[in-house]
Amino acid sequence: MKKKIEVVGAVIFSKNKVLCAQRNENMSLPLLWEFPGGKIERNESEINALKREIREEMLCDIEIGDKITTTEYEYDFGIVKLSTYKCTLNEKLPTLTEHKEIKWLAIQELEKLEWAPADIPAVEIIVYEEEFIRRF
């Protein structure tokens, strides 16, 4: 049986754009795009894990809003259970530390990127669900 890996991702909105992060060449799923975040540690809530991961990865703080979705995807290295949340920045802009590249894209541009499979359902909700777009 494959290992289950619980992770969280921040869909960070700022000035009508969404933050997208490209995994570097040395990470699993090299050069694919994702919403930044990471693994939930033992006895850690999704919210606390997301705040910690963004502080560590992007050197900034976020406000976390509504959950967008939770999806599971089976990779060769394990089953990833990804919960994504709508987020906004607190003052400081993200800094590139672990990822190869970060970019801010308009919602309609998100599908131009090659996303990690576990992130695709969140991208589709953001792009296609009218209810989500109205709340944006």
Side-chain angles (χ1 to χ4, degrees):
M1 182 156 172
K2 289 192 175 179
K3 181 170 123 178
K4 188 173 248 185
I5 306 161
E6 292 198 30
V7 298
V8 284
V11 181
I12 302 172
F13 290 89
S14 181
K15 299 177 184 165
N16 298 324
K17 303 259 181 166
V18 178
L19 181 70
C20 308
Q22 186 180 36
R23 298 177 66 80
N24 72 43
E25 296 89 344
N26 301 318
M27 294 173 148
S28 60
L29 309 172
L31 304 178
L32 293 181
W33 290 84
E34 67 180 358
F35 297 113
K39 292 180 188 168
I40 301 170
E41 294 179 358
R42 181 184 296 250
N43 298 323
E44 188 176 42
S45 72
E46 289 180 350
I47 301 298
N48 288 339
L50 192 52
K51 286 184 177 190
R52 176 187 50 75
E53 285 286 347
I54 297 303
R55 254 191 314 295
E56 292 172 2
E57 275 186 20
M58 301 277 167
L59 306 178
C60 63
D61 291 309
I62 56 172
E63 290 295 321
I64 300 174
D66 294 340
K67 183 183 277 192
I68 296 171
T69 190
T70 297
T71 59
E72 285 192 13
Y73 189 84
E74 185 172 343
Y75 293 100
D76 56 352
F77 56 82
I79 299 168
V80 169
K81 180 181 176 187
L82 169 65
S83 294
T84 48
Y85 287 84
K86 184 176 179 181
C87 302
T88 55
L89 290 172
N90 285 336
E91 297 177 26
K92 193 174 176 191
L93 291 175
T95 301
L96 189 63
T97 61
E98 295 181 13
H99 290 87
K100 179 176 176 67
E101 183 179 357
I102 55 175
K103 57 171 77 172
W104 292 96
L105 294 178
I107 286 178
Q108 55 273 25
E109 297 176 298
L110 294 179
E111 289 187 302
K112 294 178 182 178
L113 301 179
E114 187 177 355
W115 289 90
D119 289 84
I120 291 172
V123 171
E124 291 174 345
I125 288 169
I126 295 164
V127 172
Y128 293 110
E129 287 197 15
E130 288 181 34
E131 177 69 24
F132 185 87
I133 293 168
R134 275 199 299 274
R135 289 186 289 149
F136 174 67

